[in-house]
Amino acid sequence: MIIAVDGPMASGKGTIAKALAAHLSLPHLDTGSLYRATGVAVLDAGVSPEDHTACAALARDLDVSAIDEARIRTAQAGAMASKIAAIPAVRDALFEVQRAFATQPGGAILDGRDIGTVICPDADVKLFVTADPETRARRRWAELTASGETLSFDAMLEQTRERDRRDAGRSDAPMRPADDAILLDTSSLSIDAAVATAIRIVEKRQKA
Ligand code: C5P
């Protein structure tokens, strides 16, 4: 069973994907961490995101077993991830690792932006998790300020909108729901309610 969970930043897709993985005892890959880790590598190397060849080389050299969780979760890493994610050669470099994870025996759950459309168009269940930009900005702002970052809510809202524009507007693998994805809007749902809804959707599909 392959489950694809896509959606914009702070929509709740990661939390939902993790909870589904625990509920179904399936391995889970947060594909955003691959783009974030590449973004950190680009920052560390002092490479410009305009230098597509160098960014793609860093993506190819990424050691997925040595990703520094704390470093990839900063706003700076997220912003750079979204810039380098628009480079087709970077996406190509990260394709195989995602595809291999998805097709392991027993199945898997992957969350990201293009899982249902590009990485696993053959997924058994596709969820597209959304929430309005204000709600998402508030969630991410609370996380970042709790981890010690100082930025205003207005700046966070602007970053959220900018990230949405870039992720949905790029020509290669833009963020969009697959035609056969089920939409789940978490704007007015608690985490528990969102997770319970996702579990219901998947179990209904399994029965069908
Ligand atoms: O999901 P997360 O916010 O960690 O992703 C960081 C960035 O990585 C996204 O804004 C997006 O540009 C990129 N990404 C992507 N495709 C994926 C996962 C993430 O383009 N499957």
Side-chain angles (χ1 to χ4, degrees):
M1 166 143 221
I2 300 177
I3 302 179
V5 184
D6 289 303
M9 184 187 106
S11 55
K13 66 182 186 314
T15 306
I16 287 172
K18 251 186 243 140
L20 280 173
H23 185 76
L24 300 166
S25 300
L26 284 175
H28 163 235
L29 178 65
D30 160 14
T31 63
S33 68
L34 306 176
Y35 291 92
R36 285 172 175 268
T38 305
V40 167
V42 167
L43 289 164
D44 285 352
V47 162
S48 160
E50 306 299 320
D51 185 344
H52 294 191
T53 308
C55 292
L58 289 166
R60 274 194 298 277
D61 288 347
L62 191 69
D63 179 355
V64 293
S65 64
I67 292 178
D68 180 340
E69 260 305 305
R71 287 204 65 209
I72 65 168
R73 295 295 152 204
T74 63
Q76 194 195 21
M80 183 56 88
S82 146
K83 284 186 193 154
I84 56 95
I87 304 171
V90 167
R91 305 199 72 83
D92 284 351
L94 298 177
F95 179 86
E96 271 314 322
V97 62
Q98 296 175 80
R99 192 62 204 162
F101 191 92
T103 54
Q104 64 188 290
I109 301 187
L110 290 83
D111 74 78
R113 301 292 190 289
D114 63 338
I115 307 303
T117 51
V118 175
I119 305 295
C120 303
D122 53 344
D124 301 284
V125 185
K126 298 178 187 177
L127 290 176
F128 194 86
V129 184
T130 58
D132 60 67
E134 287 76 12
T135 305
R136 292 188 285 114
R138 197 162 298 287
R139 289 174 184 163
R140 186 49 55 87
W141 182 69
E143 273 171 25
L144 289 175
T145 50
S147 71
E149 284 206 39
T150 46
L151 84 166
S152 69
F153 173 73
D154 285 350
M156 188 72 248
L157 182 58
E158 182 41 39
Q159 279 184 26
T160 304
R161 292 200 163 116
E162 190 188 324
R163 187 100 79 86
D164 287 354
R165 269 195 300 274
R166 211 183 289 129
D167 287 349
R170 66 184 174 222
S171 53
D172 191 22
M175 171 179 71
R176 65 169 182 83
D179 293 340
D180 51 350
I182 298 163
L183 298 188
L184 173 53
D185 188 331
T186 65
S187 303
S188 55
L189 294 180
S190 66
I191 291 174
D192 286 352
V195 167
T197 307
I199 289 174
R200 262 200 311 278
I201 292 170
V202 171
E203 288 182 342
K204 203 168 150 196
R205 273 295 163 101
Q206 275 179 318
K207 278 187 202 130

